[in-house]
Amino acid sequence: LYYYSFLTLYDEGNLNNYYKLRSLLDEYGNDMPQKEAVELYDLALHYCTGKLNQGDRVFLQEYFDVFDEAMLRKIFILNGELASWRFNNAIGVALRLGKMDWAEKFITTYKENLPAQTRENTSSFSLSRVYLYQKRYKDVLRILQNVDYEDIGYNLISKAVLIITYYELDEVDALDSFLESFRVFLNRHKNIPAQRRKSYLNLIKYVRRLTRLLPNDQAGITRLREEIIREKASTVNHEWLLEKLAELDG
């Protein structure tokens, strides 16, 4: 197991090393101390993440399968606790795969295993993401409208979710007001890395332009689409923006 986990790092281009590691984890994952099991499953997940970052979408399902197997074996539950970041990663991957029912059940099943100090924030944040994918926009608002997360990562993502929700509900005035308050928030919090701030400011800019487009403004739609595609690496939720433009385009 350690030999093949080493090879996934040393010779990461050889997929056989990963699949051999995966096969051995399937066979022996229950037969080792938990500390070693966590290390080895994390190495497999790390490999999947690396492949995903290279654009290999096959490894989204691989990541899900490895994580799900580890959870079924309770490998990542240490002293009764499941780390919040693991919880969030699992929800994110499941939603990208369209496994909304799995994600909702996961939240219900493992909420009580989250650290007590972050339990409500983590579970409500994750549930809002599930509701967004399910297009249950009123439920998203119910959860997020009056919540301001202390964690800056949660805070930024939840605000992006609210932007999408207001747009989808056609709450034009609320959206316009929220975009401005979010812009002020981004410029006031100097601890947000510059690139991250830019990606959210771009979202605000493009949503504003999107709301001002007319369905028959072909030139405007084309210009905005080209700009979003050009800036997609530094724009949060650029896929959603392009989807909304396609709807305007008919």
Side-chain angles (χ1 to χ4, degrees), residues 29-165:
N30 279 332
D31 300 332
M32 64 185 84
Q34 188 176 19
K35 181 184 175 187
E36 281 77 3
V38 169
E39 287 178 3
L40 290 162
Y41 273 95
D42 272 343
L43 282 163
L45 291 173
H46 175 77
Y47 187 86
C48 294
T49 301
K51 287 298 178 187
L52 281 170
N53 290 340
Q54 293 169 16
D56 191 341
R57 192 175 164 80
V58 168
F59 279 87
L60 195 60
Q61 184 66 52
E62 279 293 324
Y63 187 107
F64 177 84
D65 290 342
V66 171
F67 183 87
D68 193 36
E69 177 190 307
M71 288 305 298
L72 289 172
R73 293 176 170 182
K74 302 196 182 304
I75 284 164
F76 290 139
I77 297 180
L78 304 170
N79 299 318
E81 279 195 358
L82 174 63
S84 296
W85 64 270
R86 288 195 190 278
F87 190 96
N88 285 326
N89 285 353
I91 297 298
V93 169
L95 292 177
R96 286 173 68 187
L97 287 168
K99 297 179 182 292
M100 291 172 275
D101 290 343
W102 184 96
E104 197 165 0
K105 184 179 178 183
F106 182 86
I107 293 168
T108 303
T109 303
Y110 293 106
K111 175 182 176 180
E112 294 307 312
N113 293 108
L114 288 166
Q117 65 271 26
T118 60
R119 183 174 300 143
E120 289 306 318
N121 274 0
T122 302
S123 59
S124 65
F125 172 77
S126 295
L127 197 55
S128 73
R129 294 167 73 195
V130 174
Y131 288 160
L132 183 70
Y133 272 76
Q134 292 173 334
K135 302 187 186 302
R136 293 167 58 180
Y137 301 118
K138 288 193 166 136
D139 287 322
V140 175
L141 282 184
R142 176 175 54 79
I143 292 175
L144 292 183
Q145 214 165 18
N146 299 310
V147 175
D148 208 22
Y149 293 107
E150 289 182 16
D151 181 279
I152 195 67
Y154 284 7
N155 216 327
L156 292 173
I157 296 171
S158 69
K159 289 183 190 312
V161 167
L162 278 170
I163 287 173
I164 293 172
T165 303

